[in-house]
Amino acid sequence: MVTGSLRALALLACFLMMMVAAGCSSTRALRSGDYGSVAPDDLVKAGKSHDSELAPPLRQLLETRLNQGEDAVSEDQAIEAVIALGKVGGRRDSAILLKVLETEPSADVRFFAVDALHALDAVAFQEAAPRLRESEGSDLVRGRYDQPLAP
Amino acid sequence: MFSRISWIALLCVALTALAGAAEPESAPAAPSLAERLETAVRSSDDARIEKVHQDVLAAAEREANQYEWRILAAKGYLARADLLRVQRQMGKVSEEENSAMREQQAIWGKAGAEHAEAAKRLATTDQEKSEAYRLSGECTVHRINGPFAGMRYGPTAKSDIEYALEKNPENWEAHRAQGLMFLNNPPINGGDLDKALETFSECAENDGDRDAYHALLAQTWMKKDRPERARLEVQKALAGNPDNLLARLTKERLEERKAW
């Protein structure tokens, strides 16, 4: 009886370790800065992890896109990174989101950055929204400032 | 002399009038009905589509050997069956309504496929053949209303759509048809949501960013349980066409999930 329970516990522990290992491997490329091999699905997992330690590499990924463009980080990766940052990030991430809203060339990425900024720092959002809305070139993104998704 | 000329002129006028009266009533110009059908399809209003489609069917009956009319007749049936599919998949319908709609879909699919078959025979260029095979494939998909029908019609539909792409790789409607198979088929039958996303994105990029492609992208993102991504595509679809039924119903689902 006791042996059976111990065996079950050992199996459960193995399963949990495998799950943790799988989670780590999916974010390894992101943590190491090898953005070329970060799959968009890995960024989705990062967003669902609720692991605030992933916020800095997500910030760095977005910074890399802004500095080096589409060849370094694709539009799809940037969208998933913005959505993930909106879930695992905090107020300190509002600076990079503001930068995305000001300089990111893709309207799709900016669309998601509106919601992410609103979710992470409502005060910064309220302060910046009128100015950003004014200079926004896309109707869809402009509309998003009026109706950001509730965090 | 003057009188003889007058008589000849009068005779000519009378003969011309008689010839006009004897001429059989010609079908309305295809382009104008094609435009009317396209506008009706964009409205997602079945009654409106049906009304134009009846005119198209009457013209196709009168001029059964005209490729254009056969194509339009098939397009009308396809549009009506497509609308039912959207209502079944995204709307809130009872099981009873669902099976009745599925049966109707199969009936329209069969009728559309018959016109597309005729168009295949009448097609003379690769582009025409591509469109006829695309319509035949898409209409045949609607005939699948159960596992046995799937085994019977699935391979035919797939090979028709593949042939359409072989004949004209720039036929983006055929790419969309292939994307629909990736979206709606189970994985064991070639379903693949990532391939569906890739296909619809390529269609939007290469074929005028149409609302239909964005609505399908939204539906695919919903199926991947990514409401955030679906929301942007719904907005793009509705910006292009506020009447797009698939986009409107997807918006309703997003609102229910508080993800709008």
Side-chain angles (χ1 to χ4, degrees), chain B residues 24-29 33 54-66 69:
Chain B
E25 192 189 332
S26 63
L33 259 185
Q54 291 307 330
D55 292 345
V56 169
L57 289 175
E61 203 177 324
R62 277 196 300 271
E63 297 191 31
N65 289 326
Q66 289 286 321
W69 289 119

Side-chain angles (χ1 to χ4, degrees), chain A residues 114-116 118-119 125-126 143-151, chain B residues 231 260:
Chain A
V114 174
D115 285 339
H118 182 254
F125 178 85
Q126 294 297 341
R144 206 71 211 144
Y145 281 105
D146 301 328
Q147 223 183 354
L149 196 63
Chain B
R231 195 178 65 227
W260 182 251

Side-chain angles (χ1 to χ4, degrees), chain B residues 131-248:
Chain B
E131 192 55 358
Y133 274 84
R134 190 272 295 182
L135 282 163
S136 168
E138 281 207 81
C139 287
T140 304
V141 167
H142 283 293
R143 299 182 73 177
I144 301 173
N145 56 0
F148 291 113
M151 281 188 278
R152 186 173 171 193
Y153 299 120
T156 314
K158 188 171 179 275
S159 71
D160 270 2
I161 292 167
E162 281 169 357
Y163 188 72
L165 285 168
E166 195 185 305
K167 283 284 154 195
N168 179 14
E170 300 288 301
N171 184 344
W172 294 104
E173 283 291 286
H175 283 282
R176 181 192 50 73
Q178 198 172 43
L180 274 171
M181 291 199 295
F182 292 138
L183 170 66
N184 290 321
N185 282 354
I188 198 165
N189 283 340
D192 185 328
L193 296 179
D194 288 329
K195 277 190 184 169
L197 285 175
E198 198 182 313
T199 307
F200 297 140
S201 299
E202 273 178 34
C203 289
E205 214 169 286
N206 291 288
D207 191 29
D209 211 27
R210 288 171 43 203
D211 58 283
Y213 300 137
H214 289 294
L216 286 168
L217 279 167
Q219 195 187 3
T220 315
W221 282 117
M222 286 294 272
K223 235 177 166 176
K224 275 181 75 91
D225 197 26
R226 298 297 313 286
E228 310 98 322
R229 299 290 303 256
R231 195 178 65 227
L232 173 61
E233 298 303 335
V234 167
Q235 292 208 342
K236 284 182 181 178
L238 291 176
N241 176 15
D243 294 327
N244 186 306
L245 183 69
L246 178 56
R248 276 181 8 228

